[in-house]
Amino acid sequence: MFDALQENLGAAFKTLRGQGKLSEANMRDGLKLVEKSLLEADVSYEVARAFMKRVSDQALGEKVLQSLRPSEQVIGIVYQELVNLMGPVDHSLHLKGKGEVTVLMMCGLQGSGKTTTCGKLGRLLKQSGRKPLLVAADLQRPAAIDQLHVLGEQLDIPVYSDRTSQDPVKVTGAAVEQAKRLGADVVILDTAGRLHIDNELMDQLKRVDSRCSPDQVYLVVDGMTGQDAVNSAKAFNEALELDGVIMTKLDGDARGGAAISVKEVTGVPLKFMGTGEHLENLEPFHPERMAGRILG
Ligand code: GDP
């Protein structure tokens, strides 16, 4: 995960380490390499600049420059600032008590991994003793409904769909009633996806959001798409007031910038990350662990 970023940062720290005691100029050079690594990993420009300002203010202070191992201190500062940037930890799904139905609305562009993530989340919830119901609320694409049914069968989780309806608000309302009948306590709504953000998609999602009042609204974004993932999170958040982001495909050759920037740019926490195509490949997002992985 994030191999290039890890390697580049490693090289930047090695340059600092090679110097023994550091002059201010040495330190500035090393910090420039750190900034370059972040930009190459597709961290957004503003985020990288502000981040480096915070790191530099500390790294160029006397306490660090005059210490015996300044490079180790800089690594510690970068680690802590990365944790601050991506955190705090927040992967609660804010589920209601077991007798009540919690509705989780899942949004995202087509191909982001939304439907797969609905299945993954259902699996985690089932494992933790909850009774999920998967709901096909993407009514334009019959294949999306089929895909959810296949996942439900694999996971032995019930799936609600209504192929005769064109109204996701009605389908959602009926699904919540069905959940009550089945004794299910978490409804996971797989909403419509499109290749691009457009008004029709946003209007539909806003209508479901305002009429069905889901308890939590989560956006699934593809971590491989870098700043596009962050920009779509921004746009969805403006329309829907997201409660969290789930970033998929962090197992691939994602460069890392999306995971590092999304919380800072949107103010919305990154709750989970997808680390593979299999249904067990969903992990709660831990800023400390992620910062640790990035620094190797
Ligand atoms: P949707 O159109 O947003 O519902 O996307 P899908 O759930 O159909 O997923 C699109 C593709 O991404 C599928 O081939 C999934 O197997 C794959 N996918 C989803 N999540 C992950 C992930 O975390 N890692 C990897 N490598 N592939 C994923």
Side-chain angles (χ1 to χ4, degrees), residues 104-151:
L104 308 179
M105 175 172 165
M106 309 286 284
C107 312
L109 293 178
Q110 204 172 307
S112 62
K114 176 173 49 64
T115 303
T116 310
T117 304
C118 288
K120 289 176 173 180
L121 210 51
R123 178 182 171 276
L124 276 189
L125 288 165
K126 191 178 166 194
Q127 268 186 342
S128 68
R130 291 283 176 162
K131 287 197 171 154
L133 173 69
L134 296 169
V135 178
D138 183 350
L139 305 173
Q140 273 82 31
R141 286 196 312 135
I145 301 178
D146 296 340
Q147 190 186 348
L148 203 64
H149 277 281
V150 170
L151 287 174

mmCIF file of all heavy atoms in Angstrom, residues 104-151:
data_model
loop_
_atom_site.group_PDB
_atom_site.id
_atom_site.type_symbol
_atom_site.label_atom_id
_atom_site.label_comp_id
_atom_site.label_asym_id
_atom_site.label_seq_id
_atom_site.Cartn_x
_atom_site.Cartn_y
_atom_site.Cartn_z
ATOM 1 N N LEU A 104 -28.596 3.030 6.965
ATOM 2 C CA LEU A 104 -27.320 3.532 6.446
ATOM 3 C C LEU A 104 -27.464 3.722 4.936
ATOM 4 O O LEU A 104 -27.748 2.768 4.218
ATOM 5 C CB LEU A 104 -26.185 2.531 6.712
ATOM 6 C CG LEU A 104 -25.996 2.031 8.142
ATOM 7 C CD1 LEU A 104 -24.827 1.031 8.214
ATOM 8 C CD2 LEU A 104 -25.725 3.198 9.100
ATOM 9 N N MET A 105 -27.315 4.957 4.491
ATOM 10 C CA MET A 105 -27.459 5.230 3.051
ATOM 11 C C MET A 105 -26.065 5.278 2.423
ATOM 12 O O MET A 105 -25.216 6.064 2.836
ATOM 13 C CB MET A 105 -28.169 6.576 2.873
ATOM 14 C CG MET A 105 -28.289 7.044 1.452
ATOM 15 S SD MET A 105 -29.360 8.515 1.428
ATOM 16 C CE MET A 105 -29.023 9.159 -0.202
ATOM 17 N N MET A 106 -25.854 4.435 1.431
ATOM 18 C CA MET A 106 -24.539 4.354 0.780
ATOM 19 C C MET A 106 -24.613 5.000 -0.597
ATOM 20 O O MET A 106 -25.437 4.611 -1.429
ATOM 21 C CB MET A 106 -24.146 2.893 0.615
ATOM 22 C CG MET A 106 -24.250 2.081 1.900
ATOM 23 S SD MET A 106 -22.947 2.451 3.051
ATOM 24 C CE MET A 106 -21.625 1.569 2.275
ATOM 25 N N CYS A 107 -23.753 5.994 -0.824
ATOM 26 C CA CYS A 107 -23.746 6.691 -2.116
ATOM 27 C C CYS A 107 -22.383 6.507 -2.759
ATOM 28 O O CYS A 107 -21.411 6.175 -2.087
ATOM 29 C CB CYS A 107 -23.944 8.188 -1.915
ATOM 30 S SG CYS A 107 -25.275 8.578 -0.828
ATOM 31 N N GLY A 108 -22.321 6.822 -4.040
ATOM 32 C CA GLY A 108 -21.027 6.764 -4.706
ATOM 33 C C GLY A 108 -21.184 6.674 -6.204
ATOM 34 O O GLY A 108 -22.256 6.323 -6.705
ATOM 35 N N LEU A 109 -20.122 7.015 -6.905
ATOM 36 C CA LEU A 109 -20.165 6.917 -8.360
ATOM 37 C C LEU A 109 -20.064 5.451 -8.777
ATOM 38 O O LEU A 109 -19.531 4.616 -8.041
ATOM 39 C CB LEU A 109 -18.995 7.709 -8.972
ATOM 40 C CG LEU A 109 -19.081 9.218 -8.784
ATOM 41 C CD1 LEU A 109 -17.860 9.910 -9.381
ATOM 42 C CD2 LEU A 109 -20.355 9.768 -9.415
ATOM 43 N N GLN A 110 -20.578 5.179 -9.970
ATOM 44 C CA GLN A 110 -20.521 3.820 -10.509
ATOM 45 C C GLN A 110 -19.065 3.360 -10.611
ATOM 46 O O GLN A 110 -18.217 4.128 -11.069
ATOM 47 C CB GLN A 110 -21.143 3.836 -11.895
ATOM 48 C CG GLN A 110 -21.672 2.509 -12.350
ATOM 49 C CD GLN A 110 -22.439 2.698 -13.643
ATOM 50 O OE1 GLN A 110 -23.338 3.538 -13.706
ATOM 51 N NE2 GLN A 110 -22.082 1.961 -14.664
ATOM 52 N N GLY A 111 -18.812 2.167 -10.143
ATOM 53 C CA GLY A 111 -17.453 1.637 -10.227
ATOM 54 C C GLY A 111 -16.606 1.942 -9.005
ATOM 55 O O GLY A 111 -15.489 1.456 -8.869
ATOM 56 N N SER A 112 -17.154 2.760 -8.085
ATOM 57 C CA SER A 112 -16.357 3.118 -6.899
ATOM 58 C C SER A 112 -16.209 1.932 -5.946
ATOM 59 O O SER A 112 -15.306 1.919 -5.109
ATOM 60 C CB SER A 112 -17.012 4.291 -6.167
ATOM 61 O OG SER A 112 -18.299 3.920 -5.724
ATOM 62 N N GLY A 113 -17.112 0.970 -6.086
ATOM 63 C CA GLY A 113 -17.084 -0.174 -5.165
ATOM 64 C C GLY A 113 -18.234 -0.108 -4.171
ATOM 65 O O GLY A 113 -18.227 -0.790 -3.146
ATOM 66 N N LYS A 114 -19.248 0.692 -4.497
ATOM 67 C CA LYS A 114 -20.360 0.919 -3.563
ATOM 68 C C LYS A 114 -21.104 -0.369 -3.228
ATOM 69 O O LYS A 114 -21.311 -0.689 -2.049
ATOM 70 C CB LYS A 114 -21.302 1.958 -4.178
ATOM 71 C CG LYS A 114 -22.543 2.229 -3.379
ATOM 72 C CD LYS A 114 -23.327 3.392 -3.964
ATOM 73 C CE LYS A 114 -23.547 3.275 -5.455
ATOM 74 N NZ LYS A 114 -24.391 2.114 -5.828
ATOM 75 N N THR A 115 -21.522 -1.109 -4.262
ATOM 76 C CA THR A 115 -22.325 -2.314 -4.000
ATOM 77 C C THR A 115 -21.502 -3.353 -3.231
ATOM 78 O O THR A 115 -21.989 -3.951 -2.265
ATOM 79 C CB THR A 115 -22.841 -2.897 -5.338
ATOM 80 O OG1 THR A 115 -23.576 -1.867 -6.003
ATOM 81 C CG2 THR A 115 -23.746 -4.084 -5.113
ATOM 82 N N THR A 116 -20.256 -3.540 -3.640
ATOM 83 C CA THR A 116 -19.380 -4.479 -2.923
ATOM 84 C C THR A 116 -19.255 -4.053 -1.459
ATOM 85 O O THR A 116 -19.295 -4.880 -0.547
ATOM 86 C CB THR A 116 -17.966 -4.485 -3.562
ATOM 87 O OG1 THR A 116 -18.107 -4.664 -4.964
ATOM 88 C CG2 THR A 116 -17.092 -5.567 -2.990
ATOM 89 N N THR A 117 -19.100 -2.737 -1.240
ATOM 90 C CA THR A 117 -18.930 -2.237 0.127
ATOM 91 C C THR A 117 -20.197 -2.443 0.953
ATOM 92 O O THR A 117 -20.110 -2.712 2.159
ATOM 93 C CB THR A 117 -18.501 -0.754 0.097
ATOM 94 O OG1 THR A 117 -17.309 -0.637 -0.694
ATOM 95 C CG2 THR A 117 -18.222 -0.211 1.487
ATOM 96 N N CYS A 118 -21.368 -2.338 0.319
ATOM 97 C CA CYS A 118 -22.619 -2.639 1.037
ATOM 98 C C CYS A 118 -22.555 -4.071 1.578
ATOM 99 O O CYS A 118 -22.882 -4.333 2.733
ATOM 100 C CB CYS A 118 -23.839 -2.524 0.112
ATOM 101 S SG CYS A 118 -24.254 -0.837 -0.343
ATOM 102 N N GLY A 119 -22.095 -4.991 0.723
ATOM 103 C CA GLY A 119 -21.967 -6.391 1.139
ATOM 104 C C GLY A 119 -20.948 -6.543 2.261
ATOM 105 O O GLY A 119 -21.193 -7.214 3.269
ATOM 106 N N LYS A 120 -19.813 -5.875 2.109
ATOM 107 C CA LYS A 120 -18.749 -5.981 3.121
ATOM 108 C C LYS A 120 -19.223 -5.469 4.480
ATOM 109 O O LYS A 120 -18.940 -6.052 5.521
ATOM 110 C CB LYS A 120 -17.529 -5.164 2.684
ATOM 111 C CG LYS A 120 -16.746 -5.754 1.513
ATOM 112 C CD LYS A 120 -15.622 -4.781 1.126
ATOM 113 C CE LYS A 120 -14.685 -5.345 0.084
ATOM 114 N NZ LYS A 120 -13.613 -4.403 -0.279
ATOM 115 N N LEU A 121 -19.949 -4.350 4.424
ATOM 116 C CA LEU A 121 -20.442 -3.752 5.671
ATOM 117 C C LEU A 121 -21.491 -4.680 6.300
ATOM 118 O O LEU A 121 -21.509 -4.877 7.525
ATOM 119 C CB LEU A 121 -21.057 -2.390 5.343
ATOM 120 C CG LEU A 121 -21.020 -1.312 6.391
ATOM 121 C CD1 LEU A 121 -19.630 -1.113 6.957
ATOM 122 C CD2 LEU A 121 -21.533 0.006 5.798
ATOM 123 N N GLY A 122 -22.356 -5.241 5.443
ATOM 124 C CA GLY A 122 -23.364 -6.192 5.924
ATOM 125 C C GLY A 122 -22.686 -7.361 6.637
ATOM 126 O O GLY A 122 -23.111 -7.790 7.712
ATOM 127 N N ARG A 123 -21.608 -7.839 6.040
ATOM 128 C CA ARG A 123 -20.879 -8.973 6.622
ATOM 129 C C ARG A 123 -20.337 -8.608 8.007
ATOM 130 O O ARG A 123 -20.475 -9.370 8.956
ATOM 131 C CB ARG A 123 -19.733 -9.368 5.679
ATOM 132 C CG ARG A 123 -18.880 -10.479 6.196
ATOM 133 C CD ARG A 123 -17.739 -10.780 5.233
ATOM 134 N NE ARG A 123 -16.811 -11.704 5.853
ATOM 135 C CZ ARG A 123 -15.834 -11.351 6.665
ATOM 136 N NH1 ARG A 123 -15.639 -10.075 6.948
ATOM 137 N NH2 ARG A 123 -15.043 -12.257 7.202
ATOM 138 N N LEU A 124 -19.723 -7.421 8.109
ATOM 139 C CA LEU A 124 -19.170 -6.993 9.404
ATOM 140 C C LEU A 124 -20.271 -6.870 10.457
ATOM 141 O O LEU A 124 -20.109 -7.285 11.601
ATOM 142 C CB LEU A 124 -18.500 -5.617 9.270
ATOM 143 C CG LEU A 124 -17.070 -5.527 8.786
ATOM 144 C CD1 LEU A 124 -16.568 -4.093 8.941
ATOM 145 C CD2 LEU A 124 -16.162 -6.456 9.595
ATOM 146 N N LEU A 125 -21.406 -6.299 10.015
ATOM 147 C CA LEU A 125 -22.500 -6.098 10.962
ATOM 148 C C LEU A 125 -23.060 -7.438 11.432
ATOM 149 O O LEU A 125 -23.337 -7.632 12.618
ATOM 150 C CB LEU A 125 -23.607 -5.251 10.313
ATOM 151 C CG LEU A 125 -23.240 -3.778 10.142
ATOM 152 C CD1 LEU A 125 -24.190 -3.077 9.183
ATOM 153 C CD2 LEU A 125 -23.277 -3.081 11.505
ATOM 154 N N LYS A 126 -23.203 -8.360 10.482
ATOM 155 C CA LYS A 126 -23.718 -9.686 10.835
ATOM 156 C C LYS A 126 -22.773 -10.358 11.834
ATOM 157 O O LYS A 126 -23.210 -10.938 12.826
ATOM 158 C CB LYS A 126 -23.851 -10.522 9.555
ATOM 159 C CG LYS A 126 -24.622 -11.803 9.766
ATOM 160 C CD LYS A 126 -24.778 -12.576 8.481
ATOM 161 C CE LYS A 126 -25.252 -13.986 8.827
ATOM 162 N NZ LYS A 126 -25.129 -14.903 7.718
ATOM 163 N N GLN A 127 -21.477 -10.214 11.560
ATOM 164 C CA GLN A 127 -20.488 -10.817 12.458
ATOM 165 C C GLN A 127 -20.566 -10.240 13.863
ATOM 166 O O GLN A 127 -20.250 -10.913 14.825
ATOM 167 C CB GLN A 127 -19.083 -10.529 11.924
ATOM 168 C CG GLN A 127 -18.577 -11.614 11.022
ATOM 169 C CD GLN A 127 -17.124 -11.352 10.647
ATOM 170 O OE1 GLN A 127 -16.617 -10.247 10.781
ATOM 171 N NE2 GLN A 127 -16.466 -12.388 10.165
ATOM 172 N N SER A 128 -20.961 -8.955 13.932
ATOM 173 C CA SER A 128 -21.007 -8.344 15.264
ATOM 174 C C SER A 128 -22.368 -8.551 15.921
ATOM 175 O O SER A 128 -22.689 -7.889 16.903
ATOM 176 C CB SER A 128 -20.661 -6.856 15.171
ATOM 177 O OG SER A 128 -21.706 -6.192 14.489
ATOM 178 N N GLY A 129 -23.177 -9.437 15.359
ATOM 179 C CA GLY A 129 -24.434 -9.804 16.012
ATOM 180 C C GLY A 129 -25.639 -8.995 15.564
ATOM 181 O O GLY A 129 -26.726 -9.121 16.122
ATOM 182 N N ARG A 130 -25.450 -8.143 14.556
ATOM 183 C CA ARG A 130 -26.579 -7.371 14.033
ATOM 184 C C ARG A 130 -27.303 -8.157 12.952
ATOM 185 O O ARG A 130 -26.781 -9.151 12.442
ATOM 186 C CB ARG A 130 -26.059 -6.055 13.438
ATOM 187 C CG ARG A 130 -25.537 -5.104 14.477
ATOM 188 C CD ARG A 130 -26.693 -4.453 15.184
ATOM 189 N NE ARG A 130 -26.260 -3.600 16.269
ATOM 190 C CZ ARG A 130 -27.044 -2.663 16.801
ATOM 191 N NH1 ARG A 130 -28.257 -2.452 16.340
ATOM 192 N NH2 ARG A 130 -26.618 -1.928 17.797
ATOM 193 N N LYS A 131 -28.505 -7.658 12.599
ATOM 194 C CA LYS A 131 -29.249 -8.309 11.515
ATOM 195 C C LYS A 131 -29.454 -7.316 10.377
ATOM 196 O O LYS A 131 -30.410 -6.544 10.377
ATOM 197 C CB LYS A 131 -30.606 -8.774 12.037
ATOM 198 C CG LYS A 131 -30.497 -9.973 12.947
ATOM 199 C CD LYS A 131 -31.835 -10.622 13.103
ATOM 200 C CE LYS A 131 -31.682 -11.943 13.829
ATOM 201 N NZ LYS A 131 -32.899 -12.305 14.531
ATOM 202 N N PRO A 132 -28.547 -7.313 9.423
ATOM 203 C CA PRO A 132 -28.669 -6.345 8.326
ATOM 204 C C PRO A 132 -29.683 -6.777 7.262
ATOM 205 O O PRO A 132 -29.972 -7.969 7.113
ATOM 206 C CB PRO A 132 -27.260 -6.303 7.742
ATOM 207 C CG PRO A 132 -26.604 -7.566 8.156
ATOM 208 C CD PRO A 132 -27.305 -8.100 9.362
ATOM 209 N N LEU A 133 -30.191 -5.785 6.548
ATOM 210 C CA LEU A 133 -30.999 -6.027 5.351
ATOM 211 C C LEU A 133 -30.385 -5.165 4.249
ATOM 212 O O LEU A 133 -30.235 -3.944 4.421
ATOM 213 C CB LEU A 133 -32.455 -5.597 5.585
ATOM 214 C CG LEU A 133 -33.375 -5.633 4.355
ATOM 215 C CD1 LEU A 133 -33.649 -7.070 3.905
ATOM 216 C CD2 LEU A 133 -34.713 -4.935 4.653
ATOM 217 N N LEU A 134 -30.007 -5.798 3.147
ATOM 218 C CA LEU A 134 -29.461 -5.041 2.016
ATOM 219 C C LEU A 134 -30.620 -4.597 1.136
ATOM 220 O O LEU A 134 -31.530 -5.390 0.863
ATOM 221 C CB LEU A 134 -28.501 -5.916 1.208
ATOM 222 C CG LEU A 134 -27.223 -6.386 1.924
ATOM 223 C CD1 LEU A 134 -26.513 -7.464 1.106
ATOM 224 C CD2 LEU A 134 -26.286 -5.204 2.160
ATOM 225 N N VAL A 135 -30.574 -3.348 0.683
ATOM 226 C CA VAL A 135 -31.692 -2.829 -0.117
ATOM 227 C C VAL A 135 -31.193 -2.267 -1.436
ATOM 228 O O VAL A 135 -30.318 -1.389 -1.455
ATOM 229 C CB VAL A 135 -32.433 -1.719 0.665
ATOM 230 C CG1 VAL A 135 -33.559 -1.140 -0.178
ATOM 231 C CG2 VAL A 135 -32.966 -2.272 1.964
ATOM 232 N N ALA A 136 -31.762 -2.767 -2.523
ATOM 233 C CA ALA A 136 -31.368 -2.298 -3.851
ATOM 234 C C ALA A 136 -32.174 -1.050 -4.189
ATOM 235 O O ALA A 136 -33.347 -1.128 -4.538
ATOM 236 C CB ALA A 136 -31.626 -3.396 -4.878
ATOM 237 N N ALA A 137 -31.545 0.110 -4.024
ATOM 238 C CA ALA A 137 -32.243 1.363 -4.331
ATOM 239 C C ALA A 137 -31.671 2.009 -5.590
ATOM 240 O O ALA A 137 -31.945 3.162 -5.886
ATOM 241 C CB ALA A 137 -32.160 2.317 -3.141
ATOM 242 N N ASP A 138 -30.859 1.252 -6.348
ATOM 243 C CA ASP A 138 -30.404 1.714 -7.666
ATOM 244 C C ASP A 138 -31.350 1.098 -8.690
ATOM 245 O O ASP A 138 -31.158 -0.037 -9.131
ATOM 246 C CB ASP A 138 -28.959 1.256 -7.922
ATOM 247 C CG ASP A 138 -28.430 1.787 -9.256
ATOM 248 O OD1 ASP A 138 -29.238 2.338 -10.043
ATOM 249 O OD2 ASP A 138 -27.226 1.646 -9.514
ATOM 250 N N LEU A 139 -32.387 1.850 -9.036
ATOM 251 C CA LEU A 139 -33.462 1.242 -9.829
ATOM 252 C C LEU A 139 -33.249 1.366 -11.329
ATOM 253 O O LEU A 139 -33.945 0.761 -12.124
ATOM 254 C CB LEU A 139 -34.803 1.881 -9.428
ATOM 255 C CG LEU A 139 -35.048 1.770 -7.921
ATOM 256 C CD1 LEU A 139 -36.279 2.559 -7.519
ATOM 257 C CD2 LEU A 139 -35.190 0.328 -7.492
ATOM 258 N N GLN A 140 -32.247 2.175 -11.705
ATOM 259 C CA GLN A 140 -32.011 2.335 -13.146
ATOM 260 C C GLN A 140 -31.218 1.170 -13.718
ATOM 261 O O GLN A 140 -31.278 0.891 -14.887
ATOM 262 C CB GLN A 140 -31.224 3.629 -13.428
ATOM 263 C CG GLN A 140 -32.094 4.861 -13.578
ATOM 264 C CD GLN A 140 -32.463 5.414 -12.213
ATOM 265 O OE1 GLN A 140 -31.695 5.302 -11.263
ATOM 266 N NE2 GLN A 140 -33.647 5.987 -12.105
ATOM 267 N N ARG A 141 -30.447 0.514 -12.868
ATOM 268 C CA ARG A 141 -29.551 -0.509 -13.399
ATOM 269 C C ARG A 141 -29.922 -1.885 -12.852
ATOM 270 O O ARG A 141 -29.585 -2.225 -11.714
ATOM 271 C CB ARG A 141 -28.103 -0.193 -13.016
ATOM 272 C CG ARG A 141 -27.521 0.962 -13.835
ATOM 273 C CD ARG A 141 -26.005 0.983 -13.726
ATOM 274 N NE ARG A 141 -25.560 0.857 -12.347
ATOM 275 C CZ ARG A 141 -24.588 0.064 -11.948
ATOM 276 N NH1 ARG A 141 -23.962 -0.715 -12.794
ATOM 277 N NH2 ARG A 141 -24.233 0.032 -10.676
ATOM 278 N N PRO A 142 -30.639 -2.686 -13.650
ATOM 279 C CA PRO A 142 -31.036 -4.019 -13.178
ATOM 280 C C PRO A 142 -29.826 -4.850 -12.735
ATOM 281 O O PRO A 142 -29.912 -5.622 -11.788
ATOM 282 C CB PRO A 142 -31.691 -4.651 -14.412
ATOM 283 C CG PRO A 142 -32.057 -3.519 -15.297
ATOM 284 C CD PRO A 142 -31.114 -2.407 -14.997
ATOM 285 N N ALA A 143 -28.677 -4.622 -13.398
ATOM 286 C CA ALA A 143 -27.486 -5.406 -13.044
ATOM 287 C C ALA A 143 -27.059 -5.125 -11.607
ATOM 288 O O ALA A 143 -26.533 -6.008 -10.917
ATOM 289 C CB ALA A 143 -26.342 -5.078 -13.992
ATOM 290 N N ALA A 144 -27.288 -3.884 -11.150
ATOM 291 C CA ALA A 144 -26.902 -3.538 -9.781
ATOM 292 C C ALA A 144 -27.787 -4.298 -8.784
ATOM 293 O O ALA A 144 -27.320 -4.737 -7.727
ATOM 294 C CB ALA A 144 -27.027 -2.036 -9.563
ATOM 295 N N ILE A 145 -29.070 -4.455 -9.156
ATOM 296 C CA ILE A 145 -29.988 -5.203 -8.281
ATOM 297 C C ILE A 145 -29.540 -6.668 -8.218
ATOM 298 O O ILE A 145 -29.441 -7.263 -7.144
ATOM 299 C CB ILE A 145 -31.446 -5.093 -8.799
ATOM 300 C CG1 ILE A 145 -31.873 -3.611 -8.853
ATOM 301 C CG2 ILE A 145 -32.386 -5.903 -7.928
ATOM 302 C CD1 ILE A 145 -33.271 -3.370 -9.388
ATOM 303 N N ASP A 146 -29.232 -7.235 -9.397
ATOM 304 C CA ASP A 146 -28.771 -8.636 -9.444
ATOM 305 C C ASP A 146 -27.514 -8.811 -8.590
ATOM 306 O O ASP A 146 -27.392 -9.784 -7.850
ATOM 307 C CB ASP A 146 -28.418 -9.056 -10.889
ATOM 308 C CG ASP A 146 -29.647 -9.024 -11.788
ATOM 309 O OD1 ASP A 146 -30.769 -9.055 -11.238
ATOM 310 O OD2 ASP A 146 -29.480 -8.954 -13.022
ATOM 311 N N GLN A 147 -26.587 -7.857 -8.729
ATOM 312 C CA GLN A 147 -25.307 -7.957 -8.012
ATOM 313 C C GLN A 147 -25.540 -8.005 -6.492
ATOM 314 O O GLN A 147 -24.907 -8.782 -5.781
ATOM 315 C CB GLN A 147 -24.453 -6.739 -8.370
ATOM 316 C CG GLN A 147 -23.013 -6.822 -7.891
ATOM 317 C CD GLN A 147 -22.260 -5.511 -8.168
ATOM 318 O OE1 GLN A 147 -22.753 -4.638 -8.897
ATOM 319 N NE2 GLN A 147 -21.096 -5.371 -7.597
ATOM 320 N N LEU A 148 -26.488 -7.192 -6.029
ATOM 321 C CA LEU A 148 -26.761 -7.166 -4.590
ATOM 322 C C LEU A 148 -27.382 -8.494 -4.138
ATOM 323 O O LEU A 148 -27.058 -9.002 -3.061
ATOM 324 C CB LEU A 148 -27.695 -5.988 -4.267
ATOM 325 C CG LEU A 148 -27.627 -5.495 -2.830
ATOM 326 C CD1 LEU A 148 -26.257 -4.930 -2.492
ATOM 327 C CD2 LEU A 148 -28.691 -4.440 -2.561
ATOM 328 N N HIS A 149 -28.251 -9.063 -4.998
ATOM 329 C CA HIS A 149 -28.841 -10.360 -4.651
ATOM 330 C C HIS A 149 -27.770 -11.448 -4.559
ATOM 331 O O HIS A 149 -27.814 -12.297 -3.671
ATOM 332 C CB HIS A 149 -29.922 -10.757 -5.667
ATOM 333 C CG HIS A 149 -31.251 -10.117 -5.359
ATOM 334 N ND1 HIS A 149 -32.100 -10.602 -4.380
ATOM 335 C CD2 HIS A 149 -31.857 -9.026 -5.878
ATOM 336 C CE1 HIS A 149 -33.180 -9.827 -4.320
ATOM 337 N NE2 HIS A 149 -33.058 -8.861 -5.225
ATOM 338 N N VAL A 150 -26.818 -11.407 -5.480
ATOM 339 C CA VAL A 150 -25.738 -12.402 -5.446
ATOM 340 C C VAL A 150 -24.944 -12.262 -4.132
ATOM 341 O O VAL A 150 -24.653 -13.245 -3.442
ATOM 342 C CB VAL A 150 -24.795 -12.225 -6.670
ATOM 343 C CG1 VAL A 150 -23.542 -13.084 -6.532
ATOM 344 C CG2 VAL A 150 -25.534 -12.575 -7.963
ATOM 345 N N LEU A 151 -24.634 -11.001 -3.776
ATOM 346 C CA LEU A 151 -23.883 -10.773 -2.529
ATOM 347 C C LEU A 151 -24.674 -11.268 -1.320
ATOM 348 O O LEU A 151 -24.132 -11.904 -0.417
ATOM 349 C CB LEU A 151 -23.591 -9.270 -2.352
ATOM 350 C CG LEU A 151 -22.534 -8.671 -3.261
ATOM 351 C CD1 LEU A 151 -22.452 -7.161 -3.074
ATOM 352 C CD2 LEU A 151 -21.172 -9.288 -2.953
#
